[in-house]
Amino acid sequence: MGNRFQVKDRFADGAQYIDGQLRAGTSGRSHTVVDPATGDEVLTYELASTADVDEAVAAAKRVFPAWSGATPGERSDALHRLAAVLAEQAEDFAYAESLQCGKPIRLSTEFDVPGTIDNTAFFAGAARHLQGQAAGEYSGDHTSYVRREAIGVVGSIAPWNYPLQMAAWKILPAIAAGNTIVLKPAELTPLTSLMFAQAAKEAGLPDGVINIVTGAGRTAGEHLVGHPDVVMTSFTGSTAVGKRVAEVATATVKRLHLELGGKAPFVVFDDADVEAAANGAVAASLINTGQDCTAATRAYVQRPLHDAFVARVAELMETVRLGDPFAADTDLGPLVSHAQRDRVAGFVERARDYATVVTGGEIPGGELAEGAYYRPTLITGAAQDSEVVQSEIFGPVLVVLPFDTDDEGIALANDTPYGLAASAWSRDLYRANRATREIQAGCVWVNDHIPIISEMPHGGYKASGFGKDMSVYSFEEYTQVKHVMFDNTAVAAKDWHRTIFGDR
């Protein structure tokens, strides 16, 4: 990365973006963004207060009539310009994302940043296709049609694992549909959300359409979700926090969109290509250092392939290179923080009492000792009801369990509270198709695991939440459907009036 901007200079005015301007928070409390690869300070900033949230919501509310009244073509043009600005600044976005998250620069440059640009381009097009049902005379005496209308100010909360992409997933469908938004990113990783809002201003979006408040969840987050002028909230994060968000949102009867935890099963049938499945499992369990709600976490392997699969996964995991996120040959960076690293290590250490750690399960020393690194870890022999099988670990840990019959494999795949994503591995079309029907998850891949695409929806079942990100399905979350009905008879006394007037 050649042209790295100076973070402290870029955010010298503060880490709140309200009504088109960076400003400092007024809570009286500060927070430090830390490079998890080194433990070094990146930026210390003042957190948002409830008053800052109020100002951001007021800005969004003020500009809502004008933005929602813009034509679909005008909103589309603005988003096309935003996609161009993001592409011009792609290097800076990739650098900031890797710096605050610790993810390898290869992931930022090949996935996070281009994925966000593609999402922006997609919603630029989708903004022109907010259509309702065609007009028709469904009652015989009336013409009906359906309008899709913007709903107002959206208050959203994004997580720390994919800060840029998750900010885009919240912002883009909301504003493409004509809403305005106040986004609270995670305190750990606010940089690229702020940069996204700045890029939108450069692209000519009006001040107040996108606002960023960076504060603590218990203060700024809850105040945003409960704010009387916020008509919808979209939250991505843990199921436990999602329940609290739902409590606060429903108290004021807001529309609610939740994308929560995951514990994705990876089901390998006995006719699968073992090499393909093993490579897929390692890549899908370790992407973003396992900090991915759709990451492969539970591999169920039919017994004839189990031992070969375990051996090959262990062999591949041991070749994964941990190192400096900005080094071209680094495969795996640190976790987002030392606290998260220690949480993951705790799961593995407790698992040693009832399962086998085949490889990994270590905090590396040497030149990586200062960072939040953890070695890729493979666990076998755990029971289905054990902690490592049922709980979301959110780290580079894969648990492998055997199964005998297809019925058992699918039943085990469904046997957690979660239902965000899954995959099935088989050469048999009918077997794979059955798995896609019966596995309870919002996305089921066949002979692959992890790829996402802007045109297709992302969202889960059960404790993984409800509602969709990406795709035109996301407009179901961010628009109000209105039925309009015109009388065509011009008759004063309608036939149905006799329910009131009788024979008069």
Side-chain angles (χ1 to χ4, degrees):
M1 305 295 292
N3 190 19
R4 298 177 179 176
F5 65 85
Q6 296 298 310
V7 172
K8 292 179 181 179
D9 292 342
R10 177 69 173 262
F11 300 110
D13 292 331
Q16 316 300 325
Y17 189 83
I18 299 172
D19 205 11
Q21 299 294 327
L22 280 174
R23 62 173 74 174
T26 61
S27 69
R29 296 175 53 218
S30 64
H31 183 83
T32 299
V33 178
V34 173
D35 177 354
T38 62
D40 294 340
E41 176 194 346
V42 173
L43 176 71
T44 297
Y45 65 92
E46 298 300 313
L47 291 164
S49 66
T50 57
D52 297 323
V53 173
D54 290 340
E55 288 192 47
V57 172
K61 184 179 180 181
R62 173 188 54 76
V63 77
F64 172 73
W67 182 247
S68 61
T71 67
E74 289 169 337
R75 291 197 296 269
S76 175
D77 288 347
L79 290 177
H80 277 301
R81 294 193 301 269
L82 174 56
V85 172
L86 295 173
E88 291 169 2
Q89 299 177 9
E91 184 176 307
D92 282 352
F93 274 96
Y95 168 68
E97 194 76 337
S98 287
L99 184 65
Q100 66 182 351
C101 299
K103 63 181 66 189
I105 194 66
R106 191 163 71 231
L107 182 63
S108 293
T109 56
E110 296 180 15
F111 182 71
D112 297 72
V113 174
T116 301
I117 295 169
D118 185 72
N119 259 255
T120 307
F122 171 82
F123 280 107
R128 303 188 81 142
H129 295 280
L130 275 168
Q131 298 171 348
Q133 190 171 1
E137 286 68 49
Y138 300 102
S139 77
D141 291 337
H142 305 81
T143 294
S144 289
Y145 65 87
V146 170
R147 293 174 54 89
R148 281 191 178 275
E149 298 179 348
I151 58 177
V153 178
V154 178
S156 294
I157 299 176
W160 48 255
N161 57 332
Y162 291 103
L164 176 60
Q165 288 214 72
M166 295 296 99
W169 285 15
K170 302 297 182 198
I171 292 168
L172 291 169
I175 66 172
N179 303 293
T180 55
I181 190 168
V182 179
L183 176 79
K184 193 196 89 66
E187 304 96 298
L188 291 172
T189 55
L191 304 183
T192 48
S193 298
L194 293 163
M195 292 168 63
F196 189 93
Q198 291 176 303
K201 184 181 178 74
E202 290 182 44
L205 273 77
D207 292 346
V209 171
I210 301 172
N211 304 274
I212 310 293
V213 290
T214 306
R218 284 290 183 181
T219 51
E222 291 205 7
H223 190 66
L224 176 62
V225 172
H227 199 289
D229 289 333
V230 169
V231 297
M232 173 188 167
T233 190
S234 176
F235 170 79
T236 296
S238 71
T239 297
V241 177
K243 291 177 180 178
R244 176 59 184 162
V245 169
E247 289 175 2
V248 176
T250 54
T252 49
V253 199
K254 295 187 193 317
R255 184 175 297 194
L256 186 61
H257 168 222
L258 299 174
E259 199 265 89
L260 307 178
K263 191 69 178 175
F266 186 102
V267 184
V268 183
F269 295 100
D270 59 14
D271 65 330
D273 181 329
V274 175
E275 183 66 14
N279 276 272
V282 172
S285 63
L286 300 185
I287 188 170
N288 203 35
T289 318
Q291 299 166 124
D292 187 309
C293 50
T294 62
T297 58
R298 301 177 287 141
Y300 295 103
V301 184
Q302 209 149 22
R303 207 169 294 275
L305 298 186
H306 177 271
D307 291 351
F309 178 87
V310 168
R312 185 61 175 140
V313 167
E315 183 178 43
L316 289 169
M317 278 190 170
E318 288 165 5
T319 69
V320 172
R321 298 164 298 191
L322 279 67
D324 176 3
F326 293 99
D329 61 352
T330 293
D331 300 319
L332 203 69
L335 286 103
V336 73
S337 67
H338 289 77
Q340 179 65 13
R341 190 269 318 273
D342 294 344
R343 179 180 179 276
V344 171
F347 275 101
V348 176
E349 290 309 305
R350 292 189 296 275
R352 293 183 191 277
D353 293 337
Y354 55 81
T356 299
V357 178
V358 177
T359 189
E362 298 172 344
I363 297 172
E367 61 184 16
L368 301 180
E370 298 301 316
Y373 290 90
Y374 197 75
R375 295 202 183 281
T377 301
L378 176 62
I379 295 174
T380 61
Q384 175 66 15
D385 62 357
S386 63
E387 181 186 48
V388 291
V389 175
Q390 294 293 322
S391 298
E392 187 173 33
I393 299 173
F394 229 56
V397 179
L398 176 65
V399 184
V400 181
L401 300 89
F403 69 93
D404 292 303
T405 67
D406 289 17
D407 288 349
E408 181 189 10
I410 291 173
L412 290 169
N414 287 331
D415 184 28
T416 72
Y418 302 106
L420 186 58
S423 63
W425 295 74
S426 173
R427 291 183 172 97
D428 185 318
L429 173 64
Y430 297 98
R431 204 177 205 182
N433 198 30
R434 178 195 173 189
T436 66
R437 291 194 311 270
E438 296 185 14
I439 292 176
Q440 298 162 356
C443 175
V444 181
W445 293 281
V446 176
N447 295 326
D448 206 347
H449 193 114
I450 282 295
I452 55 175
I453 194 75
S454 296
E455 289 81 358
M456 289 290 110
H458 177 88
Y461 288 26
K462 303 190 295 186
S464 291
F466 46 82
K468 300 299 177 185
D469 289 311
M470 299 197 300
S471 82
V472 294
Y473 291 98
S474 66
F475 287 132
E476 301 291 339
E477 318 303 323
Y478 293 98
T479 56
Q480 188 69 264
V481 174
K482 178 187 286 183
H483 171 214
V484 178
M485 198 173 199
F486 282 88
D487 170 57
N488 293 330
T489 67
V491 173
K494 306 289 194 294
D495 185 53
W496 71 266
H497 291 180
R498 69 180 184 276
T499 60
I500 299 298
F501 298 116
D503 57 359
R504 286 172 288 166

